[in-house]
């Protein structure tokens, strides 16, 4: 496939030129910072955000379902990246700097195809996955994903539509497969919470699990194996 080429005026290229033009006028240190942020920094920030969300989720009742939702965020990103492999091979869109001279390319030498952006796909899948588990952390994650998309165009390595396509792919995977993922992950996290690895799901002293009380009686878990609404998950993670 030729790669989404359009006849006549191309808003995609116009937006690319406008955003990438900022890099031409920026100081060298700004571009170096954008290069690091756009290639590694935002992804590292999302990873840290997931760890923070997991740390506090373990302290609340009903932790298994919340932790399961948090586990789904990076899993969704991985599945979305796998789904992007055949998409890139089918579209075969060259990187913008190969077809448009004069771009300020902050990371030269990329030889793979451009549509859709892996970075945009990964970050938005994580952001949406976090949002399904907890709105506050999810909104932060989505904001980071949007910043990632801007960085990829600023760096001259993607068209805006590459980024938009990545956002759409990451969102679709995180949303559409979430019910199945939750149905599979909640029993798993609940079982882990009853094992010697319980600290992965709950902090010491946290309730919400089926187990044995002081007299050997069975205690019913407060967490449900079914996906819960945003309000309940927000209460579980609220500091």
């Amino acid at each position: 496939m030729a790669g989404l080429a359009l006849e006549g005026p191309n808003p995609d290229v116009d937006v690319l030129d406008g955003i990438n033009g900022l890099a031409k006028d920026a100081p060298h240190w700004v571009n170096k910072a954008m290069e690091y942020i756009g290639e590694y920094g935002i992804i590292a920030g999302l990873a840290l955000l997931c760890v923070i969300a997991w740390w506090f989720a373990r302290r609340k009742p009903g932790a298994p379902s919340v932790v399961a939702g948090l586990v789904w965020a990076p899993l969704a990103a991985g599945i979305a990246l796998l789904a992007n492999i055949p998409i890139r091979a089918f579209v075969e869109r060259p990187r913008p700097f190969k077809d448009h001279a004069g771009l300020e390319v902050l990371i030269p030498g990329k030889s793979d195809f451009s549509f859709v952006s892996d970075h945009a796909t990964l970050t938005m899948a994580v952001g949406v996955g976090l949002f399904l588990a907890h709105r506050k952390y999810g909104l932060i994650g989505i904001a980071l994903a949007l910043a990632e998309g801007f960085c990829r165009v600023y760096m001259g390595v993607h068209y805006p539509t590459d980024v938009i396509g990545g956002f759409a792919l990451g969102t679709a995977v995180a949303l559409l497969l979430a019910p199945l993922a939750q149905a599979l992950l909640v029993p798993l996290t609940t079982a882990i919470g009853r094992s010697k690895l319980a600290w992965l799901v709950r902090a010491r002293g946290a309730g919400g699990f089926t187990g044995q009380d002081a007299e050997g009686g069975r205690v019913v878990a407060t967490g449900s194996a079914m996906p819960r609404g945003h309000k309940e998950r927000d209460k579980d993670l609220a500091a």
Side-chain angles (χ1 to χ4, degrees), residues 81-219:
L81 289 177
L82 291 175
N84 190 28
I85 294 174
I87 294 175
R88 280 193 167 194
F90 176 72
V91 177
E92 295 184 341
R93 187 184 203 183
R95 294 278 182 171
F97 52 80
K98 293 188 176 181
D99 290 337
H100 303 283
L103 292 177
E104 185 71 19
V105 183
L106 302 189
I107 303 182
K110 287 186 176 290
S111 58
D112 55 342
F113 294 121
S114 188
F115 186 89
V116 297
S117 166
D118 275 339
H119 280 72
T121 300
L122 183 153
T123 54
M124 188 56 75
V126 173
V128 173
L130 283 173
F131 185 82
L132 294 176
H134 187 274
R135 287 185 177 180
K136 180 179 71 175
Y137 292 116
L139 289 174
I140 296 173
I142 290 172
L144 289 173
L146 294 174
E148 180 67 54
F150 177 84
C151 287
R152 303 309 287 178
V153 179
Y154 180 97
M155 294 158 62
V157 295
H158 280 294
Y159 293 96
T161 47
D162 297 337
V163 170
I164 294 171
F167 288 164
L169 177 59
T171 299
V173 170
L175 287 179
L176 295 179
L177 296 182
L180 175 61
Q182 195 79 348
L184 295 174
L185 290 173
V186 170
L188 176 61
T189 54
T190 301
I192 292 174
R194 299 175 185 146
S195 72
K196 294 181 179 180
L197 297 176
W199 64 272
L200 290 172
V201 176
R202 60 170 179 172
R204 178 172 296 181
F209 289 85
T210 302
Q212 298 294 325
D213 61 15
E215 299 180 356
R218 189 168 180 81
V219 179

